[in-house]
Amino acid sequence: MEPMFDVAEIRAQFPILKELVHGKPLVYFDNGATSQKPRRVIKAESAYYATINANVHRGVHTLSTKATEAQEAAREAIRNHINAKHAHEVIFTSGTTAGINLAATSLGQLLLKPGDEVVISGMEHHSNIVPWQLACERHGATLKVIPITESGEWDVVIPALSRNRATPAQGRNDIFNERTRILAISHVSNTLGTINPVKQLIAEAKKHGTVTVVDGAQAIAHLDVDVQDLGCDFYAFSGHKVYGPTGIGVLYGREELLERMPPWQGGGEMIDTVTLEKSTWAKLPFKFEAGTPHIAGIIGLGEAVRWMEDYDKSAMAKHEHALLQHATKKLLTIDGLRIIGTAKEKVGVVSFVIEGVHHYDLGTLLDQQGIAVRTGHHCTQPLMERFGISGTTRASFACFNTIEEIDVMITAAKKAVKMLR
Ligand code: 7TS
């Protein structure tokens, strides 16, 4: 039997969906920027403050023990959610950006020498570009970029994929060589929605001894992420894009590499011993968690992944795919509209431009109707340059969105286009 997905039951758990915006029911299509939070997550965070607020790993007193236990239970829930081998491979950060900066700084120090190469792709978010530029600059390494096709996919030959194709792929096949130290790529593009064949590219990277870092910011809420199956060395994501709180995120790292890497930030909690001459480091994961963590955020994020685990992930993905298909079909009925990102494998993200209509104006008029979309370059300026555009209007869906909401957006967009042309 087909798994059931009751969207009304899901919607009832998100208090914000009852809000009115400009007197209209909120239609929230900006989940790529941040997703909304179910009541369970909001409650878990406030219950920490209301009942067990204390610092972790510090005191012998009861509240501190309870806070520590709640934090470590959240770490275990997240380990389970991404199928990491060990809970100490789950490092808490403030978000994807911090996770990638940690990886780039520490791996850069461990691995990069003048003349080495780091590979990223042309569809990366700025937070998976700039930290690598900084690391390359610091260590005299070169940044190499996988080009992007017209449909918004990596233009690269991956033997495991091209074997099954009728015609061989055209793209670059000179990505890896004996100097390639790090591959840093997004699992899913925030602007295009493309689901990248990360597992296959990671397998290629491994043949060259290249360390792999995956930016999972846009994948974690939509795909069944299994870090061991992907074979990646690192996987970064933000809590706030997976129905969890802001200000908290995760960097998964493979134990063997985390052990060899130098710490990123120094301070309390990350040390074993300190003298005025020299310090030694705490064991994993604490070596990478300097200072008081965002305890409430960690507990909230743990609850968010537990909440997701209560649902059939494939039914959720199916629902979101139906939203994507419906939105794509309906948007294309708007005269002069072009979708940016037409890959075969996509999550529920549609970016588009409309002839004679500026994305900012369209976004403003949609907001007047209670519809939240994002406009602009989406922190992917090199990708905008690749497509020769200044920005797009982007609708990004979550499991609580409905087909009816898409129809509301289409009607509003058609009205807006008439006004703006
Ligand atoms: N990587 C990707 C692929 C992202 O989409 C984002 C945020 C980040 C990294 C950074 O995440 P943060 O939580 O550390 O800020 N993307 C977006 C977006 O598409 N619209 O607003 C933020």
Side-chain angles (χ1 to χ4, degrees):
M1 216 179 82
E2 285 280 299
M4 283 294 291
F5 187 76
D6 184 352
V7 69
E9 186 267 333
I10 294 250
R11 289 180 71 79
Q13 299 180 51
F14 287 80
I16 210 167
L17 298 178
K18 295 197 177 67
E19 291 295 308
L20 299 180
V21 172
H22 298 297
K24 305 268 179 355
L26 168 67
V27 172
Y28 188 78
F29 286 162
D30 198 15
N31 295 284
T34 198
S35 62
Q36 298 301 348
K37 325 300 173 199
R39 198 172 284 110
R40 254 174 75 176
V41 169
I42 301 167
K43 269 191 172 166
E45 209 173 342
S46 64
Y48 158 74
Y49 285 125
T51 61
I52 58 167
N53 178 58
N55 211 330
V56 288
H57 298 296
R58 285 173 208 259
V60 291
H61 64 82
T62 303
L63 290 191
S64 174
T65 306
K66 282 189 174 171
T68 304
E69 280 168 6
Q71 171 175 297
E72 294 311 311
R75 200 187 304 271
E76 172 53 26
I78 294 158
R79 182 211 64 74
N80 175 60
H81 192 64
I82 61 173
N83 194 32
K85 206 166 170 185
H86 309 289
H88 60 249
E89 293 176 320
V90 173
I91 311 286
F92 289 120
T93 66
S94 63
T96 310
T97 304
I100 297 171
N101 274 279
L102 189 170
T105 309
S106 183
L107 282 175
Q109 211 175 316
L110 180 71
L111 300 174
L112 294 180
K113 302 269 178 307
D116 283 347
E117 293 179 358
V118 174
V119 176
I120 61 168
S121 93
M123 66 168 82
E124 300 310 315
H125 186 280
H126 295 165
S127 67
N128 201 31
I129 301 175
V130 184
W132 301 110
Q133 288 174 336
L134 292 170
C136 284
E137 225 167 83
R138 216 171 282 138
H139 302 286
T142 306
L143 195 65
K144 227 160 127 177
V145 183
I146 299 171
I148 304 302
T149 66
E150 203 52 36
S151 60
E153 293 166 277
W154 294 335
D155 199 1
V156 61
V157 174
I158 305 175
L161 292 179
S162 39
R163 224 175 285 135
N164 299 327
R165 287 190 185 157
T167 48
Q170 293 299 306
R172 280 184 84 144
N173 61 1
D174 62 344
I175 294 300
F176 301 108
N177 60 53
E178 72 285 354
R179 302 302 310 257
T180 320
R181 297 285 169 260
I182 301 165
L183 170 74
I185 38 157
S186 50
H187 198 169
V188 167
S189 158
N190 66 318
T191 301
L192 307 166
T194 311
I195 303 172
N196 291 309
V198 285
K199 183 177 172 177
Q200 291 80 357
L201 197 64
I202 287 167
E204 282 307 299
K206 277 187 172 166
K207 291 181 192 161
H208 296 82
T210 303
V211 168
T212 54
V213 180
V214 180
D215 172 351
Q218 295 293 336
I220 193 73
H222 308 292
L223 307 179
D224 200 354
V225 173
D226 179 332
V227 290
Q228 293 190 72
D229 180 60
L230 288 174
C232 57
D233 296 307
F234 295 89
Y235 196 97
F237 64 92
S238 302
H240 69 95
K241 293 190 204 286
V242 64
Y243 308 108
T246 52
I248 188 69
V250 164
L251 179 69
Y252 157 80
R254 209 154 51 73
E255 179 186 49
E256 181 260 331
L257 270 159
L258 289 174
E259 291 287 7
R260 285 167 49 210
M261 283 157 64
W264 178 40
Q265 293 177 326
E269 285 297 295
M270 54 74 71
I271 52 86
D272 181 23
T273 59
V274 178
T275 68
L276 291 177
E277 291 73 38
K278 190 171 168 48
S279 304
T280 58
W281 315 134
K283 59 182 178 21
L284 295 175
F286 309 111
K287 178 170 112 180
F288 292 103
E289 293 179 353
T292 299
H294 180 11
I295 306 161
I298 292 170
I299 290 168
L301 176 53
E303 196 60 19
V305 302
R306 283 188 205 103
W307 178 81
M308 276 196 87
E309 290 289 336
D310 282 353
Y311 289 92
D312 181 321
K313 288 183 209 160
S314 69
M316 215 179 231
K318 227 176 184 172
H319 171 70
E320 292 181 11
H321 191 69
L323 297 173
L324 171 70
Q325 280 186 317
H326 186 74
T328 304
K329 196 173 107 201
K330 288 288 171 121
L331 281 169
L332 288 172
T333 64
I334 296 176
D335 183 41
L337 184 143
R338 178 161 71 103
I339 290 179
I340 306 295
T342 52
K344 226 171 133 207
E345 300 287 330
K346 281 181 69 172
V347 300
V349 169
V350 247
S351 261
F352 54 91
V353 292
I354 305 176
E355 232 175 74
V357 173
H358 195 276
H359 46 82
Y360 180 80
D361 296 334
L362 177 61
T364 307
L365 288 181
L366 289 179
D367 177 63
Q368 294 295 318
Q369 302 298 313
I371 303 158
V373 292
R374 185 165 175 195
T375 64
H377 55 61
H378 315 296
C379 300
T380 53
Q381 284 183 8
L383 188 64
M384 296 296 104
E385 199 178 327
R386 156 68 184 82
F387 282 98
I389 52 180
S390 64
T392 73
T393 303
R394 180 188 72 178
S396 49
F397 309 123
C399 65
F400 53 72
N401 289 128
T402 65
I403 297 282
E404 293 73 36
E405 286 181 313
I406 291 170
D407 291 340
V408 169
M409 175 181 74
I410 299 294
T411 306
K414 284 186 172 165
K415 202 167 126 193
V417 168
K418 259 193 205 142
M419 285 170 69
L420 294 168
R421 276 219 182 108

